[in-house]
Amino acid sequence: MAPSKRIELTLSKPINGVFYTGEDNISGDVKITFSKSVSVKKISVHLKAFSETITKVDSDYAVMQNGLYIQGPDTRTFHNMLNLEQRVFPPDNVWNALEGSSKPFKVNPGEYNYTFKFDKLAGVKPNCLKYHGKETIMFTKKQHTKLPPSFNNLTNEMNKIDNLDLYFYSLGKILYIVQVAVELGKAKSWFKPFDKVMREQQLIEYIPNKNDLDYDQHENVYNSRVVYNNSSSPGVRTSSLGQQLRERSKQSTLSIDPRITSLNISADASNSVTPIESPKMNLNMNGNISTTASSPEPSNGQQMITVNQSTFKIRLPHSGDNRHVMWIEVRTKNNGFNHLYRRDALFRKGSNKFDKVYVVFRSNNIEELKRIKIKPAKIQLNLLETTTFLSEGIANENLSSLRLINVDSNDNMDNLIDMNELSPYPSHMNPDSEGYYKMECPLNLRDHPSLKRLLFNEENYRHRGNMLYSFKSCAISRIFDLQLMINWDIYGEISLTEVIIDDVQLYCWPRRIYSRRTANMEPEYLPRYVEPPTYGDIVDRIVVNSGDIKQLS
C-alpha cells in the first residue's frame, strides 16, 4: 500500500501581485508530510512550460480511402518550451557523494519543509527551437523568439460545446506549471519496473517583459505554405480573414515627412462608397514616392507623420457626380499606435492616438463645400482580436471584437466639426490638373467629454480569460487592430467611414511613470494591482469602483 502523504506547494507572490514577469524569481515552499516510514530517492521542483495547438481540417481536405472520401484528421502540435529542475532532497553534498547511485533513503514519519527558487526568465529562449528545422513554419523568426506569455489558462472552463467561438478559441494554449515530484524508491521487479512518483503542481500566469514580448510587426507566415481555415465557421475554407483586414488597412496608410513641399494622393471617386487606393508610402526629402511593405523608420532624428486613412471614401449627397468627396485621416507622430499600454489615453490632447483627426475633402467648388451640413451621428471604437493557431502548416484563425466606446447624437456631438475651419490640405494650395482642390477640416474628437476621458483598458479587462496583450510564438499569434467607425449625418442621410489601425501591440501594464520628487521611475512590468471586476464576454455595461460607467462588449 502506498504511504499516506500530503504535499503542500506554496508559491511566493509575484512582484506585481497578479502575474509573474521576467523580473521575478519564481520561488516558494514545499511541505511534505509522511504518516509512516518511506524510501525516497529524490524530491525535486520543476518549472515547466509547453504549448499545444489543435487545428481543425475542413471538408475541402478529403482523401480517397476504400472508394470513399474521408475528411483528413485534425492536426495537433506540442512544444516543450521549458523544463527547469531544482532538487531539494537529498542535499548537494549527499547527492554528490552518491556519484550516480540510485539507492533510496529511509525517511521517518513526520513533516519536511523545503524552499526553492528559479532564476529570472528574461531573455530565455524556448527549448523547442532546437527541434525546429529549416522548413518549420513559425510566426516569428527563430533568432528572435523568446518565451511567450501564458495563454488560455482557463481553457477547461472555456471548452464548452454550446459555444463554438469559445471552443475553437480554446484549441491553443500556453501553460506554465510549477510541479513538485517525490520519487520513491523500492525493490524493482519484472511487473513493476518503474519507481512510483508522487506529484503536486500549480498553474501560474507568466507574462514576459516588453523586450521579450515585442515582435516584428511585419514578421509573419502569411505565405503559400500555410492553409487557413476559418474556425468561426466549421467546414468552410476561407482565406485569412485577419490578413485581409490588415491588407485593407495597409491600402489606406502612408507615412509622410512634414517638410515635403508636395503630396498628391489620388482621390478619384466614381461610386458613392469607394475604397481608397493609396499604398503605404514613404516620402523622402526629394518628394519621390517609394512603395514599401512596412512603416518607414525615422532616420537622423527625422520625425515622420503616419496617416491612417479611412478604408472607404464617401461622395457627398446632392453634390453631383465627383463634385465633393470626403474621407477621414488619423495622423500620429512616428506611428504612435505601435504600442498601446493599459490606461493610455486614446483621444485626449497630446495622446498621439486619435487627438489629430481630420475630415479631408476633394472638391471643385470650395464655397459650396463650406455650406454643406455635415456632423457625426455615431462614433464607435472597437478593438479587433485575431488569434491564430498553427499546426503542421494548417492555421485556424479566430476573430473577435471588443467595443471600447460608443457615443451617439445624444452625447453632444454638434461642435466636433466646423466647416468654417476648412483649410487647404498641407502643401496642397493649388488645384490639380482636373481643377479639384484638397481641403481639410479638424474633427475635434479630443474635445468630446466622453472620448477625452477614455483610457485604454482602465478596468484591466480579461477577454476570454486572458488579459489584453499581443504576442507571437512558434505556433500561436495574437494580434490586435483598432477600428474607428463614424456614422455621418449629411442632409439627413447616414454614411459610414471606417479607419483601421493594424497590428497595434498591446501591453497589460501601464507605461513607465516618472516621479519628479524621487527622479525614479516605476518599471513598466509592474502594473498597479487593482482587483478587476468580474464579468463575461456578453456584458454590455459594467460599473467600476469609482462609480463611472465603462462600456465594453
Side-chain angles (χ1 to χ4, degrees):
M1 179 179 296
S4 174
K5 50 80 182 174
R6 185 178 63 191
I7 303 176
E8 295 182 21
L9 173 60
T10 304
L11 296 175
S12 301
K13 287 188 176 181
I15 298 174
N16 58 45
V18 188
F19 53 84
Y20 294 93
T21 73
E23 298 302 317
D24 283 284
N25 293 112
I26 300 175
S27 60
D29 301 289
V30 178
K31 183 169 69 174
I32 304 177
T33 304
F34 295 111
S35 61
K36 61 181 181 180
S37 297
V38 62
S39 296
V40 177
K41 281 187 175 182
K42 184 173 65 170
I43 301 175
S44 57
V45 183
H46 298 261
L47 176 58
K48 299 181 178 181
F50 66 89
S51 70
E52 177 188 12
T53 54
I54 302 173
T55 55
K56 297 290 183 180
V57 180
D58 59 40
S59 56
D60 285 355
Y61 295 92
V63 296
M64 180 70 72
Q65 183 175 340
N66 297 328
L68 299 175
Y69 280 102
I70 306 297
Q71 182 174 338
D74 298 336
T75 61
R76 183 190 299 260
T77 300
F78 292 93
H79 292 256
N80 291 315
M81 300 183 296
L82 187 68
N83 188 3
L84 302 179
E85 179 183 357
Q86 183 177 349
R87 175 178 33 79
V88 295
F89 176 85
D92 290 341
N93 58 340
V94 176
W95 182 263
N96 295 335
L98 292 176
E99 296 182 348
S101 173
S102 60
K103 185 177 180 179
F105 297 86
K106 192 74 170 181
V107 178
N108 294 325
E111 181 179 289
Y112 298 87
N113 297 277
Y114 306 98
T115 61
F116 65 91
K117 183 174 72 172
F118 292 99
D119 292 335
K120 300 175 182 179
L121 298 178
V124 175
K125 289 182 172 291
N127 291 339
C128 60
L129 291 179
K130 65 182 71 172
Y131 303 107
H132 292 341
K134 293 183 178 180
E135 299 300 320
T136 302
I137 302 173
M138 297 170 53
F139 283 109
T140 57
K141 294 179 180 178
K142 190 173 181 178
Q143 63 270 29
H144 297 159
T145 304
K146 303 292 178 60
L147 283 176
S150 300
F151 187 66
N152 275 349
N153 278 359
L154 305 177
T155 180
N156 291 333
E157 298 179 16
M158 295 191 301
N159 195 351
K160 300 176 181 178
I161 301 301
D162 60 346
N163 189 327
L164 284 181
D165 284 339
L166 290 183
Y167 170 72
F168 284 106
Y169 193 84
S170 68
L171 295 182
K173 53 181 173 283
I174 299 172
L175 303 181
Y176 286 79
I177 296 173
V178 177
Q179 182 184 83
V180 179
V182 180
E183 184 178 347
L184 302 178
K186 57 186 176 181
K188 297 181 179 179
S189 61
W190 66 271
F191 58 90
K192 290 184 178 179
F194 302 106
D195 292 325
K196 181 177 179 63
V197 179
M198 302 184 301
R199 294 182 175 90
E200 180 68 23
Q201 64 186 30
Q202 285 189 28
L203 202 63
I204 65 172
E205 186 170 20
Y206 172 74
I207 301 178
N209 299 348
K210 179 181 180 299
N211 290 341
D212 290 351
L213 200 60
D214 282 347
Y215 57 84
D216 185 346
Q217 286 183 300
H218 304 282
E219 180 178 79
N220 53 53
V221 293
Y222 299 121
N223 55 46
S224 59
R225 294 188 297 165
V226 179
V227 176
Y228 280 89
N229 295 303
N230 184 4
S231 300
S232 301
S233 303
V236 178
R237 179 174 181 267
T238 69
S239 60
S240 168
L241 300 181
Q243 180 66 1
Q244 291 180 23
L245 182 70
R246 285 178 290 282
E247 288 299 328
R248 194 168 76 191
S249 169
K250 291 173 184 178
Q251 288 295 321
S252 58
T253 305
L254 57 127
S255 298
I256 63 175
D257 183 340
R259 294 172 291 180
I260 295 302
T261 57
S262 63
L263 173 62
N264 186 6
I265 303 174
S266 174
D268 295 333
S270 56
N271 301 315
S272 58
V273 179
T274 311
I276 291 180
E277 301 295 342
S278 299
K280 181 174 289 187
M281 295 179 292
N282 175 23
L283 278 74
N284 56 32
M285 289 296 295
N286 297 323
N288 299 323
I289 298 176
S290 60
T291 304
T292 177
S294 61
S295 299
E297 295 293 336
S299 59
N300 300 324
Q302 178 178 329
Q303 186 180 90
M304 303 296 293
I305 303 298
T306 300
V307 181
N308 292 276
Q309 295 178 331
S310 52
T311 310
F312 300 98
K313 54 191 174 183
I314 301 172
R315 178 173 61 81
L316 303 184
H318 313 299
S319 65
D321 291 342
N322 296 338
R323 180 174 296 174
H324 305 303
V325 177
M326 65 168 279
W327 64 91
I328 306 300
E329 290 187 359
V330 179
R331 301 172 189 170
T332 59
K333 300 176 191 175
N334 300 330
N335 202 355
F337 286 103
N338 273 353
H339 304 100
L340 184 57
Y341 293 81
R342 199 177 142 242
R343 299 176 64 186
D344 272 2
L346 292 173
F347 293 90
R348 183 188 303 165
K349 182 179 179 180
S351 64
N352 199 28
K353 299 292 188 294
F354 293 103
D355 57 333
K356 293 186 178 180
V357 183
Y358 294 85
V359 185
V360 183
F361 301 90
R362 181 178 184 266
S363 174
N364 60 1
N365 190 327
I366 297 177
E367 294 303 319
E368 183 182 79
L369 178 64
K370 291 181 178 180
R371 294 193 295 269
I372 292 179
K373 302 294 183 181
I374 176 174
K375 66 177 182 179
K378 182 179 179 181
I379 300 172
Q380 183 171 308
L381 180 64
N382 300 319
L383 184 66
L384 308 180
E385 181 197 40
T386 305
T387 302
T388 311
F389 305 138
L390 179 66
S391 177
E392 298 184 14
I394 298 176
N396 281 166
E397 198 168 63
N398 301 265
L399 304 177
S400 61
S401 175
L402 290 80
R403 183 178 303 163
L404 300 180
I405 198 167
N406 182 32
V407 295
D408 54 30
S409 56
N410 297 325
D411 293 323
N412 187 21
M413 293 196 292
D414 294 335
N415 299 322
L416 296 184
I417 182 171
D418 184 357
M419 295 297 283
N420 292 322
E421 297 182 7
L422 268 175
S423 61
Y425 194 79
S427 304
H428 220 84
M429 304 294 294
N430 300 318
D432 59 20
S433 59
E434 297 179 357
Y436 286 91
Y437 291 86
K438 243 172 123 175
M439 308 292 292
E440 68 176 20
C441 185
L443 178 61
N444 298 314
L445 300 181
R446 66 188 188 185
D447 294 335
H448 190 277
S450 296
L451 295 177
K452 68 181 180 181
R453 290 198 304 265
L454 178 65
L455 301 180
F456 173 70
N457 194 19
E458 186 176 11
E459 305 86 350
N460 202 9
Y461 178 58
R462 284 185 178 267
H463 177 52
R464 296 178 170 178
N466 299 292
M467 303 179 81
L468 294 183
Y469 49 81
S470 322
F471 73 95
K472 289 183 181 181
S473 67
C474 304
I476 299 179
S477 167
R478 189 192 192 199
I479 60 179
F480 291 89
D481 306 312
L482 285 171
Q483 179 189 43
L484 177 65
M485 304 179 68
I486 305 178
N487 287 1
W488 296 93
D489 184 344
I490 309 172
Y491 291 119
E493 297 185 16
I494 301 298
S495 299
L496 174 68
T497 59
E498 172 199 52
V499 180
I500 298 175
I501 315 295
D502 74 307
D503 206 351
V504 180
Q505 294 194 38
L506 303 189
Y507 305 98
C508 57
W509 53 82
R511 287 182 182 271
R512 295 175 183 263
I513 300 175
Y514 292 86
S515 172
R516 295 181 180 178
R517 290 180 298 176
T518 63
N520 294 326
M521 59 187 178
E522 180 181 347
E524 58 187 9
Y525 56 86
L526 300 180
R528 298 182 183 278
Y529 178 56
V530 178
E531 188 67 34
T534 56
Y535 49 93
D537 290 299
I538 60 174
V539 174
D540 289 326
R541 300 179 72 84
I542 62 171
V543 180
V544 297
N545 296 333
S546 62
D548 294 333
I549 300 297
K550 302 295 180 184
Q551 186 165 358
L552 283 172
S553 63

